Amino acid sequence: MAASCRELAGLARPAATASSQPGRGRNELCFAPLRQEGRRRGAKVVVAAVSEELPRLASAGKGAGRPPQGKVALRAALTVRRKQKEDLKEAVAGHLDALWDMVGRGVLLDLISTKIDPRTKKAVRSGGASIKDWCQKQGAKGEHVVYTAEFTVDAGFGEPGAVVVANRHHREFFLESIVVEGALPCGTVYFDCNSWVQTTGELPGDANRVFFSNKPYLPSQTPPGLREIREKVLRDLRGDGTGVRKISDQIYDYAMYNDLGNPDRGKEFIRPILGGEKIPYPRRCRTGRPPTDTNMLSESRVEKPHRIYVPRDETFEELKQGAFISGRLRAVLHTLIPSLIASISADTHNFQGFHHVDNLYKEGLRLKLGLQEHLFQKIPFVQKIQESSEGMLRYDTPSILSKDKFAWLRDDEFARQAIAGINPVSIERLKVFPPVSKLDPAIYGPSESSITERHIVGQLNGLTVQEAIDKEKLFIVDHHDVYMPFLDRINAIEGRKAYATRALFFLTQGGTLKPIAIELSLPPTQSGEPQPSKVLTPACDATSNWIWMLGKAHVSSNDAGVHQLVNHWLRTHAIMEPFILAAHRRMSAMHPIFKLLHPHMRYTLEINALARQSLINAEGVIESCFTPGPVSGEISSAYYSNHWRFDLEGLPADLLRRGVAVEDSTQPHGIRLLIEDYPYANDGLLLWSAIGNWVESYVKLYYPDAGTVQSDDELQEWYHESIHVGHADLAGAPWWPPLSTPRDLAAILTTLVWLASAQHAALNFGQYPLGGYVPNRPPLMRRLLPDPERDAAEYAMFLADPHRFFLNAMPGVLEATKFMAVVDTLSTHSPDEEYLGESLDEGAAPWTGDEEALEAHGMFAADVRRAEETIEGRNADHGRRNRCGAGVLPYELLAPSSPPGVTCRGVPNSISI
């Protein structure tokens, strides 16, 4: 049906928003690599359907008459992805759409040429066309449906560079791609859309959606017909910084973390605002929600996760959403019964023995909790839950127990996990002995550690301490300064007890580490006085062995907190968010650098919003399950303020900063590892190199010299805003890298891609497989070491039953099961995961129209495959004792590919969980 003048006037207005595939980030142009095998088959169906549809239309066109003299017929095939599951409301809306379509209120398209009309000085437009077959295909089966529209344009129309889409139906639809064919000198034109197209009623004013073709253009190279609309789309993406965001909006803006607390619920839910001069922090995506009733500076909370605002195309796809909901349900079932029992019983339900912990993985609910029959009588429906959900209530056995159930008890395994575990990025080379604190001695006392040469000299294979330092044999995991300023507040919390910890390791001739000393410190009783400290060394009798085990547990607990709050959340999730927001606000979807970054931004805003909702919020999972509790955000902020530096976040720079590597131009990556068998660093350098080569080759395609970098307004605005708005609290730091040359750009992009992909994978996907056995790595501790002078009765209890004392120092059943349920969900790969180096061209429209870029990405994919083969070979090399041997787990966290589920391997492109 022909479009009316009023309709075409609406089409002539550029879209107010721009987006991508759900969880991707663009409304205009983005890529949608279809990942798992089922989606690969779906992609082939799309390509086949489009290939069949266009020739059919061409044949039909011959019979219907040729276009008038001086006119050209064009045909567009739109691939729409349908929801696999629709509720009643959606089904009714679908039928209404079909009826609406029959009376001319359908989906309209208008092609925009890359040329301008010399008379009007405006972009040449096609005049509009409506989709002809929406109603007829209402009942079509399958996930993908291909619709068609036909245009008649002037012979001199030129190349279509953008499409305006007006959705006048009752509900949004997901547009994967548009393919335009006809008598075009440029040949077929592809529009890789992957975006939700909202109804015209949901968009501001009379705005419609705009999608650009897949040809990349630097701002200075933008064809004349696209310049105005390129700028308009970006303005609309930025919004005006006001108003409450609607779920259908596609606006990217900044806010501080003022939504973690909920002062309206009571003072125990008040949390400081993260961000600003006092508590520096990166910015997050603005929602515009109104303030709380009791604090105008705190943003009110939304209790339903699906109502939390992120730009529409950043939300999870249907497959991802289904997997995530399933994981949440599993987590709820895992924690429901312990929570109910805790609410009706004064008993804290400690684990009574290691066999009770083991029962979490293999027995029924009752055995898991050691519950008494009378408790079941109080809540009889629990029995029904057990009977109907036994499979979901049972935990999977963590990988850490799969090859050697008792490996976690050994000192060599404790040390191995510092370089091949969940948190392999905290270990440093010890350069000064004794270790020295950087905290203010006027407050925290003398800066030198209590560890002396007498404590460790017997563990150094005949070396003196200085000789061991000179030979680069001593290493340390030092969390002293991270925890010390907060210990008084942590230890005042019921059921929390912590030290500021240090652990020293010696590098043996066999290439493995062994722990040689642990220091546990408490704050001084008076400012400036020495800190009460205990120094533990490897055991030589039964009592000291249990004390040593408790010391290792405290070190592991502190390491778990630093891993979660600093290295995982802050240094990947929170750090990336401002760069993602700025990319959408300042770089067009046509920009080649946006195209490069786009797969590495997928789902991050959504998962971060969900984390603010239930993980890092007041009394959320992190506060409930990890030692720092309500000071978690402040610990994270302190690290950001005092230690984080973007220029040192790349892998080689980080290894050099920690002293675990030295520069060496003869080595493949320009550095030499001091721990030769350091699985995280060994494998990470393979992927770092592959990413770096890919990014450098891609950058060279568009930036031959410094002038092209410096004159790219969109690129410069993106980097400036990322720093001065997204990381405003550190904007004045002198260490921010410059962005003046192609080399500068490649280095910045390589770091961002590394953080979003490999670094996050190394820190995330081992959380349950390697940390799901709580005695190995307790997320919190509830008791200090037994001390006959501090508490003689407690010490007597310890001597009488050290086994029970050890377990009672761990999290109780409720904390443990909640922790295990959550990290199980966080360690899970979604069925629609997109992995590093996988092909990007499995849909109807390629992610870029640049053949050289496609070729460069193919080389990158080959490099990633070779890296995976190398990793497999390393895991079979018995000379690498930190990843191969009797009972030793292989290190696979940086092996790029993975099936869905909890696999302890796989490197997704982005921070997607």
Side-chain angles (χ1 to χ4, degrees):
M1 185 172 292
S4 69
C5 294
R6 182 181 296 273
E7 291 158 354
L8 293 180
L11 283 170
R13 295 183 178 91
T17 57
S19 65
S20 82
Q21 189 156 351
R24 307 245 168 150
R26 212 47 153 204
N27 207 349
E28 317 160 23
L29 180 68
C30 18
F31 82 95
L34 305 175
R35 283 297 172 256
Q36 79 286 11
E37 194 56 39
R39 297 187 74 201
R40 287 195 176 94
R41 288 194 295 269
K44 293 174 182 175
V45 168
V46 172
V47 174
V50 172
S51 300
E52 292 172 5
E53 195 71 33
L54 290 172
R56 184 190 66 76
L57 285 170
S59 175
K62 291 177 184 177
R66 296 180 180 178
Q69 187 73 22
K71 299 289 184 178
V72 174
L74 303 180
R75 307 165 191 88
L78 294 78
T79 302
V80 173
R81 185 193 306 162
R82 286 184 170 174
K83 284 188 175 182
Q84 295 302 290
K85 297 179 179 178
E86 291 186 336
D87 57 27
L88 179 61
K89 182 178 178 181
E90 290 172 324
V92 170
H95 290 294
L96 286 174
D97 287 346
L99 292 173
W100 217 240
D101 206 70
M102 293 174 66
V103 297
R105 296 290 295 171
V107 177
L108 300 177
L109 282 74
D110 189 11
L111 299 179
I112 302 177
S113 172
T114 56
K115 298 168 58 176
I116 61 172
D117 187 323
R119 182 176 57 83
T120 64
K121 306 300 182 184
K122 297 290 185 180
V124 176
R125 293 177 178 264
S126 66
S130 60
I131 292 180
K132 298 289 187 183
D133 48 358
W134 192 284
C135 180
Q136 296 92 312
K137 294 183 177 180
Q138 171 63 23
K141 303 296 183 182
E143 182 182 4
H144 299 91
V145 182
V146 179
Y147 300 101
T148 57
E150 300 178 53
F151 301 85
T152 300
V153 300
D154 291 334
F157 178 79
E159 179 180 345
V163 179
V164 182
V165 181
N167 174 16
R168 301 179 303 168
H169 286 160
H170 288 79
R171 61 175 180 171
E172 63 183 4
F173 63 87
F174 187 76
L175 179 60
E176 283 196 349
S177 64
I178 301 173
V179 180
V180 178
E181 283 192 345
L184 294 168
C186 60
T188 302
V189 180
Y190 297 97
F191 297 82
D192 190 18
C193 309
N194 292 300
S195 175
W196 289 102
V197 179
Q198 290 81 25
T199 65
T200 51
E202 292 176 313
L203 296 172
D206 292 323
N208 300 298
R209 298 300 314 285
V210 177
F211 300 98
F212 295 108
S213 78
N214 65 350
K215 286 191 176 181
Y217 295 106
L218 294 175
S220 61
Q221 299 167 345
T222 307
L226 302 181
R227 289 173 187 166
E228 183 179 348
I229 198 168
R230 178 175 183 148
E231 295 172 2
K232 177 67 164 62
V233 166
L234 283 175
R235 285 197 302 272
D236 291 334
L237 279 168
R238 293 193 286 268
D240 61 7
T242 64
V244 178
R245 298 273 64 83
K246 298 183 300 182
I247 294 299
S248 60
D249 283 349
Q250 189 71 10
I251 296 175
Y252 298 79
D253 204 353
Y254 302 92
M256 294 183 185
Y257 282 73
N258 63 344
D259 61 340
L260 302 182
N262 191 354
D264 290 350
R265 290 185 62 185
K267 64 180 182 179
E268 66 272 22
F269 289 90
I270 296 174
R271 294 295 179 271
I273 295 171
L274 302 186
E277 184 178 350
K278 291 184 178 179
I279 308 180
Y281 216 62
R283 300 301 186 259
R284 48 99 175 175
C285 184
R286 179 185 179 275
T287 69
R289 293 196 300 265
T292 59
D293 294 335
T294 54
N295 187 337
M296 291 297 293
L297 298 179
S298 293
E299 185 174 278
S300 58
R301 293 181 58 78
V302 176
E303 297 307 322
K304 295 181 179 179
H306 67 279
R307 303 304 300 174
I308 303 171
Y309 172 76
V310 292
R312 181 64 181 100
D313 286 342
E314 304 299 322
T315 55
F316 292 161
E317 292 181 47
E318 190 174 8
L319 269 174
K320 173 75 171 181
Q321 186 68 27
F324 192 76
I325 291 173
S326 176
R328 288 176 68 111
L329 174 61
R330 182 180 173 90
V332 167
L333 287 173
H334 275 150
T335 58
L336 174 63
I337 309 307
S339 299
L340 288 172
I341 300 303
S343 69
I344 64 171
S345 172
D347 189 356
T348 57
H349 296 289
N350 299 318
F351 291 107
Q352 301 303 305
F354 285 107
H355 63 286
H356 285 156
V357 183
D358 295 341
N359 286 340
L360 289 169
Y361 312 112
K362 61 186 179 183
E363 301 292 349
L365 174 66
R366 197 172 306 184
L367 287 173
K368 289 179 187 178
L369 300 178
L371 302 180
Q372 301 298 316
E373 188 66 35
H374 73 277
L375 293 178
F376 275 95
Q377 292 172 357
K378 292 183 181 179
I379 43 175
F381 71 90
V382 167
Q383 188 71 39
K384 295 294 184 182
I385 296 176
Q386 178 179 347
E387 292 170 357
S388 61
S389 307
E390 186 63 36
M392 292 192 74
L393 288 168
R394 186 179 296 119
Y395 291 89
D396 294 327
T397 301
S399 301
I400 197 71
L401 303 179
S402 63
K403 296 192 73 173
D404 185 347
K405 182 178 178 180
F406 303 105
W408 68 276
L409 292 165
R410 301 197 314 266
D411 284 357
D412 64 287
E413 176 63 17
F414 171 72
R416 190 191 72 84
Q417 290 182 27
I419 55 176
I422 309 166
N423 186 37
V425 299
S426 286
I427 190 167
E428 303 173 272
R429 178 164 58 91
L430 185 65
K431 300 175 183 178
V432 176
F433 188 85
V436 176
S437 168
K438 295 180 181 178
L439 298 176
D440 185 354
I443 299 175
Y444 299 104
S447 58
E448 285 193 346
S449 163
S450 299
I451 303 173
T452 66
E453 186 160 356
R454 176 180 59 83
H455 288 117
I456 64 173
V457 68
Q459 302 285 332
L460 304 181
N461 288 2
L463 300 175
T464 66
V465 171
Q466 191 57 51
E467 287 172 339
I469 289 175
D470 293 342
K471 291 179 180 291
E472 299 165 335
K473 297 288 186 182
L474 289 179
F475 296 84
I476 186 170
V477 173
D478 189 347
H479 298 318
H480 176 279
D481 288 5
V482 174
Y483 280 86
M484 180 58 71
F486 302 96
L487 279 182
D488 283 333
R489 293 162 64 189
I490 292 172
N491 289 336
I493 302 169
E494 184 179 357
R496 303 285 170 97
K497 289 294 179 283
Y499 296 98
T501 62
R502 293 184 176 105
L504 264 61
F505 301 89
F506 179 74
L507 181 62
T508 69
Q509 290 183 345
T512 59
L513 294 171
K514 67 174 182 179
I516 57 175
I518 289 172
E519 181 183 29
L520 307 175
S521 302
L522 292 170
T525 53
Q526 297 290 331
S527 293
E529 292 184 356
Q531 300 169 6
S533 296
K534 295 179 182 292
V535 177
L536 311 178
T537 55
C540 57
D541 58 65
T543 301
S544 61
N545 180 68
W546 280 106
I547 296 291
W548 177 247
M549 283 179 60
L550 284 164
K552 290 194 295 182
H554 274 283
V555 170
S556 296
S557 175
N558 275 17
D559 195 61
V562 170
H563 161 259
Q564 200 66 266
L565 298 171
V566 173
N567 295 331
H568 178 205
W569 167 255
L570 171 67
R571 294 175 65 189
T572 61
H573 286 260
I575 289 305
M576 282 297 298
E577 186 155 350
F579 289 99
I580 293 171
L581 291 170
H584 286 284
R585 288 165 53 86
R586 295 296 174 180
M587 286 194 290
S588 168
M590 290 187 282
H591 200 292
I593 300 305
F594 184 89
K595 288 179 173 292
L596 173 75
L597 287 175
H598 192 256
H600 307 290
M601 303 188 291
R602 183 186 189 219
Y603 291 156
T604 303
L605 297 186
E606 169 87 340
I607 200 64
N608 284 6
L610 291 169
R612 297 197 310 274
Q613 181 70 12
S614 58
L615 290 181
I616 64 171
N617 60 302
E619 297 201 0
V621 172
I622 301 300
E623 288 195 5
S624 301
C625 297
F626 288 83
T627 293
V631 302
S632 295
E634 293 170 75
I635 286 180
S636 185
S637 168
Y639 185 92
Y640 178 69
S641 177
N642 299 323
H643 301 288
W644 183 81
R645 289 179 51 166
F646 181 79
D647 62 327
L648 299 181
E649 288 300 291
L651 180 58
D654 178 57
L655 295 171
L656 293 170
R657 168 177 57 179
R658 292 190 281 120
V660 294
V662 293
E663 292 183 350
D664 187 341
S665 60
T666 67
Q667 297 297 310
H669 309 288
I671 62 173
R672 175 173 58 85
L673 294 174
L674 300 181
I675 305 172
E676 291 185 18
D677 182 19
Y678 185 173
Y680 158 78
N682 294 136
D683 297 354
L685 286 169
L686 292 177
L687 297 186
W688 171 268
S689 180
I691 293 167
N693 290 338
W694 150 238
V695 170
E696 185 176 347
S697 63
Y698 187 87
V699 166
K700 285 180 179 178
L701 295 176
Y702 305 100
Y703 300 95
D705 52 43
T708 51
V709 173
Q710 296 167 17
S711 63
D712 186 337
D713 292 340
E714 287 185 6
L715 182 70
Q716 294 295 333
E717 288 170 4
W718 161 69
Y719 191 53
H720 183 272
E721 186 173 287
S722 297
I723 296 171
H724 290 83
V725 181
H727 289 279
D729 303 331
L730 300 182
W735 40 254
W736 284 103
L739 180 52
S740 300
T741 67
R743 186 174 182 178
D744 294 341
L745 176 57
I748 292 166
L749 295 174
T750 299
T751 297
L752 292 174
V753 173
W754 161 259
L755 292 175
S757 59
Q759 181 78 329
H760 178 259
L763 296 168
N764 183 74
F765 292 103
Q767 290 191 80
Y768 185 80
L770 305 183
Y773 185 65
V774 170
N776 170 59
R777 191 175 173 82
L780 64 83
M781 295 293 287
R782 297 187 293 162
R783 288 186 174 181
L784 298 175
L785 297 190
D787 185 339
E789 296 182 4
R790 188 189 73 246
D791 190 331
E794 182 187 65
Y795 192 76
M797 250 172 53
F798 160 69
L799 292 178
D801 195 344
H803 172 274
R804 177 164 292 189
F805 186 95
F806 180 84
L807 285 174
N808 288 354
M810 303 276 146
V813 172
L814 178 59
E815 295 97 342
T817 52
K818 181 186 290 188
F819 163 76
M820 291 164 61
V822 170
V823 296
D824 180 46
T825 300
L826 297 180
S827 302
T828 302
H829 287 295
S830 168
D832 71 337
E833 203 80 88
E834 299 176 354
Y835 295 97
L836 195 70
E838 285 190 343
S839 172
L840 304 181
D841 293 316
E842 294 168 1
W847 66 279
T848 180
D850 188 332
E851 292 294 333
E852 289 184 285
L854 293 174
E855 182 180 349
H857 189 271
M859 296 175 66
F860 170 55
D863 285 345
V864 172
R865 287 194 297 271
R866 282 191 291 270
E868 181 154 7
E869 292 169 0
T870 300
I871 291 169
E872 290 175 0
R874 288 172 174 173
N875 284 326
D877 181 355
H878 289 276
R880 297 178 179 268
R881 300 180 184 181
N882 292 318
R883 64 195 303 163
C884 183
V888 177
L889 282 178
Y891 186 77
E892 297 181 307
L893 284 170
L894 289 174
S897 67
S898 175
V902 179
T903 64
C904 204
R905 61 175 292 140
V907 180
N909 279 325
S910 63
I911 300 168
S912 58
I913 188 66

